[in-house]
Amino acid sequence: MGKVASEPPSAGEWLRGRLLLLAEQAEMSVNDLQDHPEEALHQLRVRMKKMEALLRLSRGAMGKKRREKLRAEIKAVKNAGGDQRDAMVLQKLAGELGRKQGLRLPETPLPLEKPRMRQIKTLMTRLQKDLSAQSFEKLSWEDIQENFEASYRTGRRLMREAEETQDPEAFHQWRKRVKVLHHQTGALEEYLPHVQKRLERSRDLGRLLGREQDLALLEEATQTPSPDRAWKRVIKANRDKVRPQALELGEKVYQRPASKFGRMRR
């Protein structure tokens, strides 16, 4: 007798399984913080961002207060090591851009301290407990598609705002939504038609906008105690390259209206 095909998962089962898997992987990153702080911290933050993105697909499965509680717990884990991450990025970027001009930043990032590591472990344990207790059975695939399209439309709108204002904060907000789009698209790849190009382009766009955000951090760091004109010239020269590239690629990522996506395959 042939094998009986297994039933495809319900939308709630699929999303819950994805979130719990990311939580398990994040716990592994937490356990690696002692021996490999830089890489483990990066992986932990990436996994929290993926969880944030997927949680946005859960509208329809739980009340707003419950969803916001889980989101706050995810954000707390992600942000617990944010200052170390920013310091590491600044040192690398300053070394890369300032080498030819003899520019440098005096600050040196500190290693992740043991008390902070204990804090992250405590936050991670609480998140796993609350996530395991959460039911997603009310979620439908129609909810997921609607939530995915809403995220896409928000990113499209934020791209226009960044283009019109040329404000670093506008680019930062757009970047966050590009990351959401990329993580959601990657998770839903087998269910969405014609996504490979969007997946690749959103990845590349996220990297460009990440560079823009790192330049904004560097700009802020070189304003204290007084603006450094040499750094200002270097940052502007790099920003003048990155922003047009990001906007050009953004037009390709967001060229199709969400209404033209077609139905998800199930």
Side-chain angles (χ1 to χ4, degrees):
M1 295 178 62
K3 292 183 179 180
V4 178
S6 59
E7 285 289 325
S10 67
E13 290 171 339
W14 173 84
L15 183 57
R16 187 171 186 273
R18 281 280 184 165
L19 289 169
L20 289 175
L21 177 60
L22 284 168
E24 290 177 10
Q25 293 171 340
E27 185 179 24
M28 293 170 60
S29 296
V30 171
N31 293 334
D32 285 342
L33 283 171
Q34 179 71 52
D35 297 327
H36 309 285
E38 186 171 352
E39 177 61 23
L41 182 59
H42 171 71
Q43 290 297 330
L44 177 62
R45 286 172 58 80
V46 168
R47 283 159 179 162
M48 290 300 103
K49 289 176 183 179
K50 288 182 178 181
M51 290 182 74
E52 280 185 310
L54 293 189
L55 191 64
R56 289 181 180 275
L57 297 174
S58 70
R59 290 177 183 270
M62 68 184 87
K64 182 178 179 180
K65 286 186 178 180
R66 182 61 180 168
R67 188 172 62 252
E68 289 303 316
K69 182 177 186 294
L70 286 172
R71 185 182 175 191
E73 290 178 358
I74 293 170
K75 189 174 181 178
V77 175
K78 181 186 71 175
N79 290 345
D83 51 350
Q84 278 90 351
R85 181 268 176 195
D86 288 348
M88 292 172 186
V89 168
L90 278 177
Q91 285 295 322
K92 286 184 177 180
L93 186 59
E96 175 191 340
L97 300 184
R99 191 175 297 115
K100 291 182 179 179
Q101 286 77 19
L103 302 173
R104 61 187 293 272
L105 292 178
E107 296 83 6
T108 301
L110 298 174
L112 206 58
E113 302 167 352
K114 289 185 178 180
R116 182 70 62 82
M117 290 172 62
R118 288 197 294 270
Q119 177 194 10
I120 293 175
K121 286 184 177 182
T122 299
L123 291 169
M124 193 67 230
T125 299
R126 182 188 306 160
L127 172 59
Q128 286 181 301
K129 179 181 177 182
D130 288 348
L131 194 57
S132 297
Q134 178 61 47
S135 170
F136 293 86
E137 63 182 13
K138 293 182 180 179
L139 191 69
S140 69
W141 285 109
E142 287 74 21
D143 290 330
I144 286 183
Q145 177 148 9
E146 182 179 335
N147 295 331
F148 176 74
E149 291 177 1
S151 290
Y152 179 88
R153 284 192 292 268
T154 300
R156 212 166 185 239
R157 174 177 58 79
L158 291 173
M159 177 181 69
R160 298 300 177 210
E161 289 184 12
E163 184 177 23
E164 291 171 7
T165 65
Q166 293 293 308
D167 179 59
E169 180 60 23
F171 277 92
H172 177 50
Q173 294 303 320
W174 179 30
R175 170 181 175 262
K176 290 195 289 187
R177 285 302 183 144
V178 169
K179 289 286 188 181
V180 168
L181 174 65
H182 180 69
H183 294 322
Q184 289 180 349
T185 302
L188 290 166
E189 185 176 7
E190 64 180 300
Y191 300 103
L192 295 170
H194 315 300
V195 298
Q196 193 56 44
K197 280 189 177 180
R198 189 185 309 135
L199 193 58
E200 294 171 359
R201 286 170 174 169
S202 61
R203 176 200 62 202
D204 294 342
L205 179 56
R207 289 172 179 170
L208 282 170
L209 292 173
R211 181 74 165 192
E212 158 66 26
Q213 174 62 11
D214 293 343
L215 288 169
L217 289 173
L218 183 58
E219 183 176 45
E220 182 179 347
T222 55
Q223 296 298 305
T224 305
S226 60
D228 188 311
R229 292 183 179 180
W231 269 119
K232 189 174 182 179
R233 288 193 297 270
V234 170
I235 292 168
K236 183 180 185 304
N238 279 268
R239 182 171 274 159
D240 288 347
K241 294 178 182 178
V242 169
R243 286 187 176 180
Q245 291 175 8
L247 290 168
E248 181 180 358
L249 184 54
E251 290 292 343
K252 295 178 181 178
V253 171
Y254 291 100
Q255 64 184 343
R256 179 181 295 185
S259 59
K260 301 291 186 181
F261 281 175
R263 304 300 298 171
M264 292 174 58
R265 298 188 296 262
R266 299 195 289 278

